[in-house]
Amino acid sequence: MELRTAASPRDVKHYTTERLREEFLIEKVFYEDEIKLVYSHIDRIITGSATPVNKELKLEAGSELRAKYFLERREMGVINIGGDGIITVDGSEFIISHKNGMYIGMGKQDITFKAIDPANPPKFYINSAPAHTTYPTVVIKVDGEPEEGVVIVKDSNKVELGTLEDSNHRTICKYILPGQVESCQLVMGMTHLEPGSVWNTMPSHTHDRRMEVYLYFEIPEDAFVMHFMGEPQETRHIIMRNEQAVISPSWSIHSGCGSRNYTFIWGMVGENQDFDDMDPVRNQDLL
């Protein structure tokens, strides 16, 4: 497990491009037949992946957590951006299809990941946060019929925003949040930009009560996203390629502009789960 420390905005404004990328960019997220995790001191989020192809992968706590098992004091959200796969939780198997997800509550001990078809393996993207109580473990589906142990994303949590004229026509799909899938502090979802739209999270904002991590994907090899971060009057940028993630401290804006449309997963960790609890920044005030 890789460890990342927190950073002061007074220091970040002096970072070189290389240093900025070292601190905040997770350049490679998915490793074939490996579990890759990055532990950030910013709200203690763990970001990473499980990419089973030819073998089943078991989630271990590692020495960094000083825990008997990974979710002894944690909760976890998973969204699959690859082929269909199976997550086994304490002996129960769950099939997680493309762009569906799962919430796994604190206290679950034996967690493994495996592919159904090694020729089209799953890519399980993981966000994990510290937890103080246990909430039900459920499969999250974007569409489908309700069934036991499965939560279907509500129509009210599929929000269409922006316009093509403003280059930000997008659909926000909220997976884990109060009133749908309960958690201690983790909030998680996915945003897809429509063809011709390139801007996400505009107007930009900060939220002092929680941090955020973005995973950008569905970006062609010759395309990119310019991810903007930093204090509103000290903005910086990181160029993002396909299936890369970026850590955003609570004091930083977090928005992006691509050379074409794309999709990204957002995960938030902190003391407030209110999705609309934001401190907006007018476009006129950005520097």
Side-chain angles (χ1 to χ4, degrees), residues 62-282:
S63 60
E64 295 83 359
L65 295 186
R66 300 294 193 272
K68 296 176 183 176
Y69 50 93
F70 190 86
L71 294 184
E72 182 181 11
R73 302 184 297 268
R74 287 186 159 268
E75 60 186 356
M76 185 168 75
V78 182
I79 296 177
N80 180 15
I81 66 167
D84 294 355
I86 295 173
I87 301 178
T88 302
V89 181
D90 287 349
S92 298
E93 289 191 348
F94 303 90
I95 296 176
I96 309 298
S97 300
H98 182 64
K99 289 188 177 177
N100 289 335
M102 192 170 188
Y103 172 80
I104 306 175
M106 184 186 74
K108 298 298 184 182
Q109 297 188 31
D110 188 9
I111 300 170
T112 61
F113 306 87
K114 64 181 177 181
I116 293 176
D117 178 7
N120 184 27
K123 293 182 176 180
F124 294 116
Y125 177 65
I126 296 169
N127 282 176
S128 172
H132 58 271
T133 192
T134 298
Y135 286 97
T137 294
V138 294
V139 172
I140 306 163
K141 293 186 177 181
V142 177
D143 298 295
E145 296 298 324
E147 55 185 291
E148 185 178 356
V150 176
V151 172
I152 308 299
V153 175
K154 299 176 182 177
D155 289 342
S156 60
N157 285 328
K158 300 173 185 176
V159 183
E160 189 173 356
L161 293 176
T163 65
L164 184 58
E165 290 75 14
D166 288 330
S167 302
N168 66 353
H169 184 200
R170 62 199 189 275
T171 299
I172 301 173
C173 188
K174 304 172 185 177
Y175 287 55
I176 301 171
L177 78 165
Q180 179 168 271
V181 174
E182 301 296 331
S183 67
C184 285
Q185 59 170 317
L186 179 64
V187 178
M188 200 171 179
M190 180 185 298
T191 298
H192 173 70
L193 277 73
E194 298 300 324
S197 288
V198 294
W199 278 102
N200 72 64
T201 322
M202 289 297 290
S204 58
H205 60 264
T206 60
H207 28 65
D208 279 345
R209 292 143 298 279
R210 58 180 183 257
M211 60 82 67
E212 194 157 4
V213 175
Y214 282 0
L215 172 77
Y216 289 101
F217 67 107
E218 295 184 338
I219 304 173
E221 185 177 356
D222 62 346
F224 66 92
V225 174
M226 193 82 77
H227 179 83
F228 294 98
M229 62 165 296
E231 293 179 292
Q233 281 73 52
E234 286 282 354
T235 56
R236 300 291 184 270
H237 72 268
I238 298 176
I239 291 180
M240 309 286 300
R241 305 293 179 181
N242 190 44
E243 296 181 359
Q244 294 183 339
V246 61
I247 299 168
S248 177
S250 58
W251 48 262
S252 174
I253 65 166
H254 37 282
S255 61
C257 184
S259 58
R260 53 154 294 158
N261 68 316
Y262 51 91
T263 305
F264 68 101
I265 295 172
W266 41 268
M268 296 183 281
V269 172
E271 68 170 317
N272 193 342
Q273 293 179 298
D274 181 0
F275 184 85
D276 294 322
D277 178 19
M278 304 173 186
D279 301 311
V281 180
R282 299 189 312 158

